[in-house]
Amino acid sequence: MRTFFITVLISICTVSLLQAQMERVRANPDGPVEETFLTKNIAGLGTVQLLGKGDLNSMIQHNFGDVRGGIDTFFGVDEGANVRIAFGYGLTDNLNIGIGRTSREDNIDFSIDYRILHQTKLDRVPVSVVLKGNMGIRTQKESFGLTVQERLNYLGSVMIARKFSDNFSFQVSPMVSHFNTVVQREADSELYNTVYGLGFAGRFKINERKSISFEYLPVIGDKISDTKNHAALVYELETGGHVFQMFFMSGRWFTEQHLLTRTETNFFEPNFRFGFNVNRIFGLL
Amino acid sequence: MKKLFLSAFLVLFTAGLSFGQSFKTEEGKATFYSKVPLHNFEGNSESLVGLINLDEKTIDFYIDLETLDTGNGKRDKDMKLTLETKKYPFAEFFGKLVTDFDPESSSVQDVIVKGTFKIHGEEKEIEVEGTLQMKDTGLHVTAGWILSLLDYKIEPPKILFIKVDENQEIKIDALLKPVDG
């Protein structure tokens, strides 16, 4: 009789279970990790964060003179800004193109980013990997004595990043830069057309809207005379469709090939400049 | 031994009865239609999951909100942030058929279901009009209703500084197969 009652109980439970709601199961628990970084750039260093298909990012980047000018130069602000205006567009979720213009040397650059790996939530793919190419050309009048070929500069980078937790992401990006022409300022300057670097970047998320990020770009191997390794410390703020980035950076440029070869101040001396980026993303589709 | 056989029979019989009129999604699609001034867009998900028990007249549907795709990465991100999908990953409905449905007929039949819709951590009793049709391929379901974002404490997202309409039109379309007994 006891067996019978137990069986009836099980039967009732079975029916009840079938009447109850289904267990809610995530559709794609090992889907791609999102928002490893807030934007495509930190201060000047590129990140694995690509624009989604149909997204247009307009970006204005500025920095000023170094802060050691003190109050006389209002900590570098009076020394004038280097400004890069850039637009990026997501052709697909994995392929972005972009164009930018930097006020220094009127350098116009074209970029392409292609994601070959996307980190997944359950670590089936543990890292995101994006290949980046950038080609720039000096267009200021003073460079017209050079051929177009001589005015070109290039960057190739492999960005490898992992979002370790909701609050911390880290990226390593080996890169190579090449300038078809390098200018010798002093007789004993060591000059190299090709310079290698290893970029490091990290993001500490404070909350959904704010984070602290950094970038560090040491030159590996041959280094041009009197240049220093670039570094930046960045406060990022997302407000609806805008991402504001306020930072102290040692480099004067926003393109990595120039940060590798033109940075003349040492962040850790300390000597750096104030700057800020404004990103606005529009959905065009 | 006799009791054991009787018990086993009872279990199988009960289970068989319960499964006999149950249908589960083979494929299901949910769509929402959103309006902003000068522009309309829609979001789709092919990951609608549903279970209908005709004996008990219960209807159970849910969707993983992170599968919604509006065709635009920025908009998708805004939408997920607004719906707080990390915290509330599902939109779900559980209710009962309040009108009759004849499973022997192959014609499209209008039905009404009443139940609880839950999204963004908020629940609300709703009544939904839809259709059921018994086909050779399974039980075909369509339904649609207007979802008021404010009812579920969802703050309409701003897209290009323009507010999305508070009322969103929701439609579902699913084919459910008999659950094997």
Side-chain angles (χ1 to χ4, degrees), chain A residues 172-198:
Chain A
V172 177
S173 39
M175 62 183 74
V176 55
S177 72
H178 182 86
F179 284 73
N180 284 354
T181 304
V182 285
V183 179
Q184 189 152 30
R185 292 186 196 168
E186 294 175 22
D188 59 348
S189 292
E190 289 183 43
L191 291 177
Y192 303 96
N193 291 85
T194 302
V195 174
Y196 298 90
L198 186 61

Side-chain angles (χ1 to χ4, degrees), chain A residues 1-4 7-8 10-12 14-15 18-29 34-35 38 52-55 93 121 163 166 205 208-209 238 240-243 280-285, chain B residues 3-4 6-8 10-11 14-15 18-19 22 24 39 47 49-51 53 56 58 60-62 64-67 70-75 77-78 80-81 85-86 89-90 92-94 159-161:
Chain A
M1 185 57 84
R2 202 179 63 181
T3 316
F4 182 73
T7 311
V8 170
I10 291 171
S11 303
I12 291 168
T14 311
V15 174
L18 287 167
Q19 287 176 11
Q21 294 182 6
M22 290 175 287
E23 183 190 355
R24 276 31 180 163
V25 180
R26 298 303 300 267
N28 190 10
E34 293 175 354
E35 209 173 275
L38 263 183
K53 181 185 175 185
D55 285 353
D93 286 341
K121 290 171 186 167
K163 190 172 183 177
D166 257 1
K205 186 171 156 187
E208 287 299 330
R209 301 285 180 204
E238 186 180 22
H242 287 89
V243 176
R280 170 73 204 185
I281 298 173
F282 301 90
L284 295 190
L285 294 180
Chain B
K3 281 179 191 168
L4 185 68
L6 186 64
S7 306
L10 191 61
V11 169
T14 316
S18 305
F19 277 120
S22 287
K24 194 169 183 201
H39 181 57
S47 301
V49 182
L51 180 70
N53 185 319
E56 304 298 329
T58 56
D60 186 14
F61 275 93
Y62 74 89
D64 183 336
L65 291 168
E66 294 214 337
T67 61
T70 67
N72 177 283
K74 163 67 180 153
R75 195 162 51 202
K77 185 185 162 189
D78 285 350
K80 289 171 191 172
L81 272 176
T85 54
K86 279 187 185 171
F90 301 108
E92 46 194 300
F93 175 84
F94 185 73
I159 296 176
L160 302 177
F161 304 110

Side-chain angles (χ1 to χ4, degrees), chain A residues 145-165:
Chain A
L146 301 171
T147 65
V148 168
Q149 186 78 13
E150 287 168 335
R151 287 186 271 153
L152 296 176
N153 54 76
Y154 308 89
L155 173 90
S157 173
V158 182
M159 299 180 280
I160 305 158
R162 176 170 169 79
K163 190 172 183 177
F164 285 90
S165 70

Side-chain angles (χ1 to χ4, degrees), chain B residues 95-151:
Chain B
K96 287 214 162 197
L97 265 174
V98 293
T99 52
D100 289 330
F101 171 69
D102 178 8
E104 303 301 322
S105 166
S106 61
S107 59
V108 177
Q109 299 173 55
D110 291 331
V111 292
I112 294 174
V113 296
K114 276 185 179 175
T116 306
F117 182 72
K118 185 177 179 184
I119 188 171
H120 197 239
E122 299 290 325
E123 291 183 359
K124 193 172 163 56
E125 293 297 315
I126 62 169
E127 185 176 290
V128 178
E129 292 179 8
T131 65
L132 285 176
Q133 183 185 16
M134 192 61 80
K135 294 180 169 179
D136 293 339
T137 48
L139 183 60
H140 183 220
V141 183
T142 65
W145 72 100
I146 302 294
L147 183 150
S148 164
L149 297 181
L150 289 181
D151 283 348

Side-chain angles (χ1 to χ4, degrees), chain A residues 36-38 42 167-169 201-207 209-215 232-237 246:
Chain A
T36 305
F37 291 92
L38 263 183
I42 296 184
N167 299 321
F168 178 61
S169 305
R203 176 189 178 213
F204 301 92
K205 186 171 156 187
I206 301 168
N207 59 34
R209 301 285 180 204
K210 297 168 188 170
S211 56
I212 300 283
S213 297
F214 70 87
E215 62 189 36
L233 186 63
V234 186
Y235 173 69
E236 298 177 302
L237 178 66
M246 287 153 274

